[in-house]
Amino acid sequence: MRSVHLLAPLTALLLGLTLPSSAAPKDTERSFRVQSPAAWVRPVALETRDSRPLGETGGVHYALADLQVRAERPRVERYAHYARRVLTEGGIEEAAEINVTFDPSFERLTLHGVWLHRGGQRKDVLEPQAVKVIQQERELEQRLYNGTLSALIFVRDVRVGDVIEYDFTVEGDNPVFDGRFLASVETRYGTPLGHWRYRLLWPSARGLHVKQHGTDVSPSVKEAGGVREYVWEQHDVPALSIDDSLPSWYQPWPWLQLSEFDSWAAVARWAVPLYQAPPRLPPTLQEEVKRLRAAHASPSARLLGALRFVQDEVRYLGMELGPNSHRPHAPEEVLARRFGDCKDKTLLLVTLLRALGIEARPALVHSAWKQKVESMHPSPVVFDHVIVQARLEGHDYWLDPTASHERGPLESFEPPPFRRALPIDEATTGLVEIPEPLRLEPMMEREESYTESADGQPVTLTVTTHWKGPSANQMRRNLSTASLKDVEREYLNFHARDDPTIRATAPLSVQDDPERNVITLVERYVIESFWLEQQREFTASTITRYLTRPRIGQRTMPLAIMHPVNVLQRIRFESLHPMRIRHQRDTVQGPASALDYRFWTEDSDNVLFLEYRYHSLADAVEPARFMAHLEALKRMETHAGYQVTLGTTHGNQGRGQSGFTWFGVAMGLGGLALGGLLMFMGDGPRAFLRDVRARKRKRAFSRKFASVEGDSPAQAMSLATVGELHARLSGVRCACGVAGAGAPKLEEVVLGEQHLVLAKWTCSGCGTGRHAYFTVREERAA
């Protein structure tokens, strides 16, 4: 399901204007026409003052962005006029390529002109026969097809100092909105702008709602001949610098929202006819309902049966052509072809559930904005996803038909993390709350068990990981699309980063308990060189992935925290000799997360246990509490691992954390007098020195966790669109020095509430398996 939007700020300036999209052109072979702007357009002249670079601008300075709209039924006309100056050789490629996208099923593109300014001269450089019109599916990697066409113009002989100016008009509007006007307008970009203007011609007899988000730009308003003219205008607009690692619901870009809808009830009523189940089931749907009734005796079992059928046997693929950007396909069509997007799968599931006697209705949500949709003016395009609200035996169940491989009993189902929904129902009056998922128990438990055998023999390592609930669902999805051999190789290489001599002694064991929704993975290895310079570091790797820091430390915007998260890691080390350590148990809590840790020994001090439990408390940290968050991270890093040092005590019989020979220490300290003084320190000199050494080891250990952008989900690299991914990967450098990722394998990963793209590849220089996490910023909805 798509939103109507302007592109992210910088991309909007690069491409001009992006609108909804659909099928192939029918009217003319060329798909566009060339003529002067319509009489209603009031062009803005490019002034010399606007062409001057304003502050730090990079390779291109954007001198003008003039957007004008005439909203008269039955069509809407959108005029756009841009100008950009080339400041460096690196900016030539960006400035010389013009890309205008449109939907040929209901829109018509008119190009007015392209001009090159050089040496005080303005030269017309538009060559209609050289314009390339291509179908460029920007959401292809998300399995969404929309038929968008792109008109590409490549300006020749562009040099540093030139100004490229161009304008065009797109006529038409998506008929799915029944002639109601919707728009969003960015008022500030990530680059300085000389002159920005948005002009709207609006029929005086029609109501219009305008809402400001993060901006105080106000319009001038004139009225004549039954038309109201709004003009928002700014000069010398500074660039907006945004922080990294922002929560998905936080919108840093100031913008104006325009909507002709009066209320959420009006939006719900608009959607009702789009999601009508067939009044009489076609034979194919009747057969499926009959099968579900026969296969499942109870209503709850039938609900689960229908849900799993739609989730797992109807694959996710969207044909969002024209009105189908918001209108689902007929359930019998979706069933026949066995694929559909969120709209298609939702209507199919609602149809099946109602036929089974279970109350169900679709509900609109936003997968990123979540509860922040409450701050929007009512509009269909503040939603980008649709799910199902089912009611059974007095309980509400929120079900996502696109979330495959969900298992477990119905009562264990966790609500999807969307927080607010608009049920599609004639009786709907407003948004309703989706309960926030609560994870009181760990959803992932990992135990690493190390065992020393005879001296000189390899140490055995058994890793047992239990994935539960939503984490089990995600692991099941990952395993369904991956080769077990590839998973084994990835796990082995993960351990080999710290233990190069590790080798597997058995295949990876995978046990799936769908009734309890638990997946258990067991890895078995031996490590030839366990001790490094008489020391061994145990790392709580499951925990440290959540302890990363953002790239920007002086923050003015909130920091995203992966939430909800509740994980447990236990490390067990069985030694041949006693380990004398100080038992510890404590909690480190920050504004958005907490770490419980415990260290102890058993079996005459021969078995060391390290236990860590990390759980998130919130999905973001506000700037005012960011320093407290950093301080908590430092303390967590200090305790998120342990170092054991080989030592001797009276005949080389004991190995302990203290890591030194007491006799040697006493001699090194200079005699019994100083030793006697140390007896008064805390629990005695041994405990005191042990604590000193432990603090030094923990400080060294904490320095291992330098933040690397993209290395973990918490440090995912931010993209405006998926199309930027390959360009970002070209700059990722391996430890061997080779940059680039070749042809990476892309996977969609859902961790808690965070939706990520995981890129995997093999370094061409050293053959090491590499990966990088990305988040794709949501494009602005109206």
PDB file of all heavy atoms in Angstrom, residues 177-195:
ATOM      1  N   PHE A 177      -9.158   8.516  -5.075  1.00  0.00           N
ATOM      2  CA  PHE A 177      -9.526   9.485  -4.033  1.00  0.00           C
ATOM      3  C   PHE A 177     -10.804  10.244  -4.357  1.00  0.00           C
ATOM      4  O   PHE A 177     -11.151  11.203  -3.649  1.00  0.00           O
ATOM      5  CB  PHE A 177      -8.364  10.454  -3.800  1.00  0.00           C
ATOM      6  CG  PHE A 177      -7.109   9.781  -3.318  1.00  0.00           C
ATOM      7  CD1 PHE A 177      -5.957   9.804  -4.082  1.00  0.00           C
ATOM      8  CD2 PHE A 177      -7.095   9.087  -2.124  1.00  0.00           C
ATOM      9  CE1 PHE A 177      -4.809   9.165  -3.653  1.00  0.00           C
ATOM     10  CE2 PHE A 177      -5.947   8.443  -1.688  1.00  0.00           C
ATOM     11  CZ  PHE A 177      -4.804   8.475  -2.461  1.00  0.00           C
ATOM     12  N   ASP A 178     -11.485   9.864  -5.413  1.00  0.00           N
ATOM     13  CA  ASP A 178     -12.799  10.437  -5.752  1.00  0.00           C
ATOM     14  C   ASP A 178     -12.757  11.955  -5.882  1.00  0.00           C
ATOM     15  O   ASP A 178     -13.686  12.664  -5.474  1.00  0.00           O
ATOM     16  CB  ASP A 178     -13.847  10.050  -4.688  1.00  0.00           C
ATOM     17  CG  ASP A 178     -14.036   8.546  -4.598  1.00  0.00           C
ATOM     18  OD1 ASP A 178     -13.887   7.873  -5.640  1.00  0.00           O
ATOM     19  OD2 ASP A 178     -14.330   8.043  -3.497  1.00  0.00           O
ATOM     20  N   GLY A 179     -11.677  12.475  -6.430  1.00  0.00           N
ATOM     21  CA  GLY A 179     -11.588  13.909  -6.687  1.00  0.00           C
ATOM     22  C   GLY A 179     -11.214  14.755  -5.497  1.00  0.00           C
ATOM     23  O   GLY A 179     -11.149  15.985  -5.606  1.00  0.00           O
ATOM     24  N   ARG A 180     -10.953  14.135  -4.351  1.00  0.00           N
ATOM     25  CA  ARG A 180     -10.562  14.918  -3.169  1.00  0.00           C
ATOM     26  C   ARG A 180      -9.057  15.181  -3.186  1.00  0.00           C
ATOM     27  O   ARG A 180      -8.264  14.307  -3.494  1.00  0.00           O
ATOM     28  CB  ARG A 180     -10.993  14.198  -1.895  1.00  0.00           C
ATOM     29  CG  ARG A 180     -12.453  14.445  -1.560  1.00  0.00           C
ATOM     30  CD  ARG A 180     -12.960  13.568  -0.448  1.00  0.00           C
ATOM     31  NE  ARG A 180     -13.201  12.205  -0.903  1.00  0.00           N
ATOM     32  CZ  ARG A 180     -13.959  11.334  -0.253  1.00  0.00           C
ATOM     33  NH1 ARG A 180     -14.541  11.684   0.879  1.00  0.00           N
ATOM     34  NH2 ARG A 180     -14.139  10.119  -0.719  1.00  0.00           N
ATOM     35  N   PHE A 181      -8.703  16.399  -2.804  1.00  0.00           N
ATOM     36  CA  PHE A 181      -7.324  16.868  -2.930  1.00  0.00           C
ATOM     37  C   PHE A 181      -6.504  16.494  -1.697  1.00  0.00           C
ATOM     38  O   PHE A 181      -6.949  16.654  -0.563  1.00  0.00           O
ATOM     39  CB  PHE A 181      -7.316  18.389  -3.111  1.00  0.00           C
ATOM     40  CG  PHE A 181      -5.948  18.965  -3.292  1.00  0.00           C
ATOM     41  CD1 PHE A 181      -5.259  18.810  -4.486  1.00  0.00           C
ATOM     42  CD2 PHE A 181      -5.343  19.679  -2.265  1.00  0.00           C
ATOM     43  CE1 PHE A 181      -3.994  19.363  -4.658  1.00  0.00           C
ATOM     44  CE2 PHE A 181      -4.091  20.236  -2.426  1.00  0.00           C
ATOM     45  CZ  PHE A 181      -3.416  20.070  -3.631  1.00  0.00           C
ATOM     46  N   LEU A 182      -5.287  16.031  -1.947  1.00  0.00           N
ATOM     47  CA  LEU A 182      -4.339  15.688  -0.891  1.00  0.00           C
ATOM     48  C   LEU A 182      -2.953  16.123  -1.345  1.00  0.00           C
ATOM     49  O   LEU A 182      -2.587  15.918  -2.509  1.00  0.00           O
ATOM     50  CB  LEU A 182      -4.326  14.179  -0.630  1.00  0.00           C
ATOM     51  CG  LEU A 182      -5.659  13.529  -0.253  1.00  0.00           C
ATOM     52  CD1 LEU A 182      -5.573  12.020  -0.421  1.00  0.00           C
ATOM     53  CD2 LEU A 182      -6.032  13.889   1.172  1.00  0.00           C
ATOM     54  N   ALA A 183      -2.187  16.707  -0.461  1.00  0.00           N
ATOM     55  CA  ALA A 183      -0.827  17.111  -0.829  1.00  0.00           C
ATOM     56  C   ALA A 183       0.025  17.264   0.413  1.00  0.00           C
ATOM     57  O   ALA A 183      -0.479  17.484   1.515  1.00  0.00           O
ATOM     58  CB  ALA A 183      -0.849  18.423  -1.618  1.00  0.00           C
ATOM     59  N   SER A 184       1.323  17.145   0.209  1.00  0.00           N
ATOM     60  CA  SER A 184       2.286  17.473   1.256  1.00  0.00           C
ATOM     61  C   SER A 184       3.398  18.272   0.621  1.00  0.00           C
ATOM     62  O   SER A 184       3.774  18.043  -0.528  1.00  0.00           O
ATOM     63  CB  SER A 184       2.843  16.210   1.920  1.00  0.00           C
ATOM     64  OG  SER A 184       3.553  15.439   0.970  1.00  0.00           O
ATOM     65  N   VAL A 185       3.935  19.220   1.361  1.00  0.00           N
ATOM     66  CA  VAL A 185       4.899  20.157   0.801  1.00  0.00           C
ATOM     67  C   VAL A 185       6.035  20.358   1.792  1.00  0.00           C
ATOM     68  O   VAL A 185       5.819  20.849   2.905  1.00  0.00           O
ATOM     69  CB  VAL A 185       4.238  21.527   0.503  1.00  0.00           C
ATOM     70  CG1 VAL A 185       5.211  22.414  -0.268  1.00  0.00           C
ATOM     71  CG2 VAL A 185       2.939  21.354  -0.262  1.00  0.00           C
ATOM     72  N   GLU A 186       7.238  19.963   1.396  1.00  0.00           N
ATOM     73  CA  GLU A 186       8.409  20.215   2.220  1.00  0.00           C
ATOM     74  C   GLU A 186       8.736  21.710   2.198  1.00  0.00           C
ATOM     75  O   GLU A 186       8.712  22.347   1.139  1.00  0.00           O
ATOM     76  CB  GLU A 186       9.616  19.442   1.692  1.00  0.00           C
ATOM     77  CG  GLU A 186       9.408  17.942   1.581  1.00  0.00           C
ATOM     78  CD  GLU A 186       9.574  17.234   2.894  1.00  0.00           C
ATOM     79  OE1 GLU A 186       9.878  17.925   3.888  1.00  0.00           O
ATOM     80  OE2 GLU A 186       9.411  16.008   2.935  1.00  0.00           O
ATOM     81  N   THR A 187       9.045  22.288   3.325  1.00  0.00           N
ATOM     82  CA  THR A 187       9.387  23.711   3.390  1.00  0.00           C
ATOM     83  C   THR A 187      10.872  23.952   3.645  1.00  0.00           C
ATOM     84  O   THR A 187      11.313  25.101   3.670  1.00  0.00           O
ATOM     85  CB  THR A 187       8.577  24.415   4.493  1.00  0.00           C
ATOM     86  OG1 THR A 187       8.938  23.870   5.768  1.00  0.00           O
ATOM     87  CG2 THR A 187       7.083  24.233   4.261  1.00  0.00           C
ATOM     88  N   ARG A 188      11.621  22.884   3.833  1.00  0.00           N
ATOM     89  CA  ARG A 188      13.056  23.027   4.079  1.00  0.00           C
ATOM     90  C   ARG A 188      13.732  21.730   3.676  1.00  0.00           C
ATOM     91  O   ARG A 188      13.150  20.648   3.826  1.00  0.00           O
ATOM     92  CB  ARG A 188      13.317  23.335   5.560  1.00  0.00           C
ATOM     93  CG  ARG A 188      14.726  23.814   5.867  1.00  0.00           C
ATOM     94  CD  ARG A 188      14.822  24.242   7.318  1.00  0.00           C
ATOM     95  NE  ARG A 188      16.178  24.565   7.712  1.00  0.00           N
ATOM     96  CZ  ARG A 188      16.561  24.813   8.954  1.00  0.00           C
ATOM     97  NH1 ARG A 188      15.653  24.797   9.926  1.00  0.00           N
ATOM     98  NH2 ARG A 188      17.812  25.091   9.252  1.00  0.00           N
ATOM     99  N   TYR A 189      14.957  21.857   3.168  1.00  0.00           N
ATOM    100  CA  TYR A 189      15.644  20.694   2.628  1.00  0.00           C
ATOM    101  C   TYR A 189      16.989  20.475   3.327  1.00  0.00           C
ATOM    102  O   TYR A 189      17.402  21.251   4.184  1.00  0.00           O
ATOM    103  CB  TYR A 189      15.861  20.853   1.122  1.00  0.00           C
ATOM    104  CG  TYR A 189      14.599  21.123   0.334  1.00  0.00           C
ATOM    105  CD1 TYR A 189      14.574  22.126  -0.632  1.00  0.00           C
ATOM    106  CD2 TYR A 189      13.435  20.391   0.551  1.00  0.00           C
ATOM    107  CE1 TYR A 189      13.422  22.380  -1.372  1.00  0.00           C
ATOM    108  CE2 TYR A 189      12.286  20.630  -0.172  1.00  0.00           C
ATOM    109  CZ  TYR A 189      12.280  21.634  -1.140  1.00  0.00           C
ATOM    110  OH  TYR A 189      11.153  21.876  -1.864  1.00  0.00           O
ATOM    111  N   GLY A 190      17.683  19.447   2.897  1.00  0.00           N
ATOM    112  CA  GLY A 190      18.999  19.153   3.455  1.00  0.00           C
ATOM    113  C   GLY A 190      20.104  19.944   2.801  1.00  0.00           C
ATOM    114  O   GLY A 190      21.282  19.709   3.079  1.00  0.00           O
ATOM    115  N   THR A 191      19.747  20.866   1.923  1.00  0.00           N
ATOM    116  CA  THR A 191      20.716  21.739   1.268  1.00  0.00           C
ATOM    117  C   THR A 191      20.153  23.156   1.256  1.00  0.00           C
ATOM    118  O   THR A 191      18.931  23.337   1.236  1.00  0.00           O
ATOM    119  CB  THR A 191      20.990  21.264  -0.176  1.00  0.00           C
ATOM    120  OG1 THR A 191      21.953  22.117  -0.790  1.00  0.00           O
ATOM    121  CG2 THR A 191      19.716  21.259  -1.002  1.00  0.00           C
ATOM    122  N   PRO A 192      20.980  24.191   1.276  1.00  0.00           N
ATOM    123  CA  PRO A 192      20.462  25.563   1.227  1.00  0.00           C
ATOM    124  C   PRO A 192      19.697  25.812  -0.071  1.00  0.00           C
ATOM    125  O   PRO A 192      19.981  25.219  -1.108  1.00  0.00           O
ATOM    126  CB  PRO A 192      21.724  26.424   1.298  1.00  0.00           C
ATOM    127  CG  PRO A 192      22.755  25.539   1.906  1.00  0.00           C
ATOM    128  CD  PRO A 192      22.440  24.159   1.442  1.00  0.00           C
ATOM    129  N   LEU A 193      18.732  26.715  -0.029  1.00  0.00           N
ATOM    130  CA  LEU A 193      17.867  26.992  -1.169  1.00  0.00           C
ATOM    131  C   LEU A 193      17.699  28.499  -1.301  1.00  0.00           C
ATOM    132  O   LEU A 193      17.340  29.188  -0.337  1.00  0.00           O
ATOM    133  CB  LEU A 193      16.514  26.320  -0.956  1.00  0.00           C
ATOM    134  CG  LEU A 193      15.476  26.423  -2.061  1.00  0.00           C
ATOM    135  CD1 LEU A 193      16.020  25.849  -3.366  1.00  0.00           C
ATOM    136  CD2 LEU A 193      14.220  25.661  -1.653  1.00  0.00           C
ATOM    137  N   GLY A 194      17.966  29.004  -2.499  1.00  0.00           N
ATOM    138  CA  GLY A 194      17.885  30.447  -2.701  1.00  0.00           C
ATOM    139  C   GLY A 194      16.468  30.987  -2.620  1.00  0.00           C
ATOM    140  O   GLY A 194      16.202  31.986  -1.963  1.00  0.00           O
ATOM    141  N   HIS A 195      15.526  30.323  -3.314  1.00  0.00           N
ATOM    142  CA  HIS A 195      14.158  30.827  -3.376  1.00  0.00           C
ATOM    143  C   HIS A 195      13.216  29.630  -3.443  1.00  0.00           C
ATOM    144  O   HIS A 195      13.324  28.789  -4.333  1.00  0.00           O
ATOM    145  CB  HIS A 195      13.989  31.719  -4.612  1.00  0.00           C
ATOM    146  CG  HIS A 195      12.654  32.396  -4.690  1.00  0.00           C
ATOM    147  ND1 HIS A 195      12.266  33.153  -5.775  1.00  0.00           N
ATOM    148  CD2 HIS A 195      11.597  32.458  -3.818  1.00  0.00           C
ATOM    149  CE1 HIS A 195      11.047  33.628  -5.591  1.00  0.00           C
ATOM    150  NE2 HIS A 195      10.623  33.212  -4.403  1.00  0.00           N
TER     151      HIS A 195
END
